[in-house]
Amino acid sequence: MRRVLTIAAFASLGACAAKEMPVEQRIALASPAATVTARGETAPVGTANADAADDPAIWRNAADPAASLVVGTDKKAGLYLYGLDGKVRDFLDAGRVNNVDLKDGVAIGGGTGVLVVASDRNDVANAKLALFRLDTASAKLTALGTVPAGAGEAYGVCLYRDVAGLYAFIVLKDGTINQVALDASGATPSGRIVRTMKLGTQSEGCAADDRTGVLYVAEEDVGLWKFDAKAGGSVSPVKIAAADGRNIVADAEGVAIAMVGEKDGYVLVSSQGDNAYAVYRIADDAYVGRFRIAAGTVGATEETDGIEVMTGDFGPGFPGGLFVAQDGQNGAGAQNFKLVAWDDIVRALGLPR
């Protein structure tokens, strides 16, 4: 009974008050979390002694899954490209790029390839989308240009594709979400804002499901929301989960989608306040569990910002899928990204296969 009363009191304090608690107390008051360990990690980003690494994106090499690649942002400097061995394949000085996503099979400059899009906050008053080509054969990133994305500071970004075209959702720091129709087929990329949505306070992480036409956005002190992702859809949000100190402990940060089958799977949210990750079922938005990444062969994760997950074969180390999480501490080193097998998460949470 004492624990029930304590949790109720904790929830009533609100997210801002909860942030003032020591992390050990937040962990003690949150819902139980299973434990997994990372099977690998990336080299640290180049910016030391700073909150620099932020958000990952994954490209899966269908022909040679173990040769897949991870893009990661150093939000003070640019974009890193890593192999699954964690080694740096490339770095591109792009300045202050915060979040990143990618799509394969996109028309780019007269051909078809992998388009990487980052939220560009080099100008905090005017958001932009920075576009890049990922040459998967040479493991190199090439800048294509920027596209205006609205007034305000660029923060989160995620890509969405349907029969009407390719879109980027850019989440501005004040909770504004602009849906931008992208065209990278010409000599220089272009884009136009086709609609705007709004959450009440600071928001960042997002992920869009091409299969279901749903956009998920994390409002840091409030919780997880979903929108209709279609350009002509409703702009009204539906709340999936609150940042109540139980399943999500503020800040609610990165958002990722683990696709299973044609329309099922899971939405994952970084519960930054207690170093955990909450998991919700796509079919009915139901909460199914939480997990933490503990120290093992490589270190644990703390204060995670961006996350990404992709199911499928990624070679012997990650045969059922790959989960990538930014590590906000990484011991004495600069921040980096931890690589976790999706199969390990499935087993830890007892999810159906």
Side-chain angles (χ1 to χ4, degrees), residues 39 260-261 266 319-321 342-353:
R39 297 192 183 186
V260 179
Y266 305 93
W342 173 246
D343 280 352
D344 291 346
I345 296 169
V346 168
R347 280 192 293 269
L349 295 180
L351 303 178
R353 293 179 177 274

Side-chain angles (χ1 to χ4, degrees), residues 155-203:
Y155 220 37
V157 73
C158 52
L159 298 180
Y160 170 69
R161 179 165 48 193
D162 63 14
V163 293
L166 177 67
Y167 302 90
F169 291 100
I170 186 161
V171 182
L172 307 184
K173 200 168 186 178
D174 69 353
T176 300
I177 306 158
N178 290 329
Q179 184 171 3
V180 182
L182 292 177
D183 183 356
S185 62
T188 58
S190 62
R192 60 185 178 87
I193 298 173
V194 296
R195 65 171 181 157
T196 297
M197 296 160 282
K198 185 72 172 72
L199 293 174
T201 60
Q202 185 167 308
S203 307

Side-chain angles (χ1 to χ4, degrees), residues 160 207-216 226-230 257:
Y160 170 69
D209 193 335
D210 294 351
R211 307 166 308 161
T212 62
V214 175
L215 167 69
Y216 301 91
K226 68 178 181 179
F227 292 87
D228 189 332
K230 296 184 291 295
I257 299 169

Side-chain angles (χ1 to χ4, degrees), residues 98-291:
N98 199 60
N99 279 196
V100 66
D101 200 3
L102 61 80
K103 285 286 185 191
D104 205 343
V106 176
I108 305 174
T112 302
V114 180
L115 181 69
V116 177
V117 180
S119 54
D120 185 323
R121 60 195 297 200
N122 287 293
D123 179 353
V124 296
N126 297 286
K128 294 182 178 66
L129 294 165
L131 277 64
F132 309 86
R133 180 200 298 269
L134 170 57
D135 185 327
T136 58
S138 63
K140 296 293 182 183
L141 290 159
T142 303
L144 299 174
T146 61
V147 172
E153 184 174 356
Y155 220 37
V157 73
C158 52
L159 298 180
Y160 170 69
R161 179 165 48 193
D162 63 14
V163 293
L166 177 67
Y167 302 90
F169 291 100
I170 186 161
V171 182
L172 307 184
K173 200 168 186 178
D174 69 353
T176 300
I177 306 158
N178 290 329
Q179 184 171 3
V180 182
L182 292 177
D183 183 356
S185 62
T188 58
S190 62
R192 60 185 178 87
I193 298 173
V194 296
R195 65 171 181 157
T196 297
M197 296 160 282
K198 185 72 172 72
L199 293 174
T201 60
Q202 185 167 308
S203 307
E204 182 178 5
C206 70
D209 193 335
D210 294 351
R211 307 166 308 161
T212 62
V214 175
L215 167 69
Y216 301 91
V217 184
E219 186 176 2
E220 294 186 0
D221 287 345
V222 178
L224 179 65
W225 300 87
K226 68 178 181 179
F227 292 87
D228 189 332
K230 296 184 291 295
S234 170
V235 298
S236 298
V238 175
K239 182 178 277 190
I240 294 175
D244 60 359
R246 298 291 309 278
N247 299 338
I248 300 176
V249 181
D251 291 339
E253 288 283 345
V255 181
I257 299 169
M259 298 182 183
V260 179
E262 292 186 0
K263 290 191 175 182
D264 208 353
Y266 305 93
V267 178
L268 286 71
V269 184
S270 170
S271 175
Q272 189 185 75
D274 73 324
N275 304 329
Y277 311 91
V279 182
Y280 299 85
R281 188 166 50 234
I282 286 173
D284 55 6
D285 300 333
Y287 168 75
V288 298
R290 287 159 36 91
F291 66 96

Side-chain angles (χ1 to χ4, degrees), residues 297-308:
T297 305
V298 300
T301 57
E302 295 87 15
E303 300 175 1
T304 294
D305 285 318
I307 59 175
E308 184 58 288

